[in-house]
Amino acid sequence: ELSPSLIEASGFPFATRYGIHTGEAIVGNVGSDERINYTAFGDTVNTASRLEQLNHFYDTTILVSDEVERTMRDHFHFRFIDHVIVKGKQS
């Protein structure tokens, strides 16, 4: 719904990509009294980020890990794209 107004204002559509993974992560406000940021980090966040980056290569919008597919296959339809070991992983 937002895209038409963004196209009108900027000449470009609003487009984003998602990488979805499941697991534990550290999430919260990090910093000092002078500067604080809400952030998330950990292996789970890195894996999701790598999946998001792979969307550019596959020209896709959403990529999920095999863990997410196994957990959610009874609730969503998934399409197999490829077997990939994301950067920083060995398996």
Side-chain angles (χ1 to χ4, degrees), residues 32-86:
S32 65
D33 291 340
E34 290 81 33
R35 184 171 182 197
I36 195 161
N37 287 317
Y38 187 80
T39 192
F41 55 95
D43 187 60
T44 299
V45 177
N46 281 342
T47 300
S49 176
R50 302 294 189 205
L51 290 169
E52 185 276 329
Q53 293 168 17
L54 280 171
N55 278 300
H56 296 278
F57 180 79
Y58 291 109
D59 195 28
T60 53
T61 304
I62 303 170
L63 287 175
V64 304
S65 65
D66 57 340
E67 290 91 346
V68 171
E69 188 274 333
R70 280 194 305 271
T71 303
M72 301 306 295
R73 67 173 52 138
D74 293 337
H75 306 283
F76 295 93
H77 295 282
F78 293 93
R79 180 180 63 171
F80 176 78
I81 300 295
D82 201 355
H83 286 286
V84 176
I85 299 173
V86 296

Side-chain angles (χ1 to χ4, degrees), residues 18-33:
Y18 302 92
I20 303 173
H21 186 55
T22 184
E24 293 186 8
I26 298 170
V27 181
N29 291 315
V30 177
S32 65
D33 291 340

Side-chain angles (χ1 to χ4, degrees), residues 8-21:
E8 185 178 321
S10 69
F12 299 100
F14 177 74
T16 189
R17 294 182 164 95
Y18 302 92
I20 303 173
H21 186 55

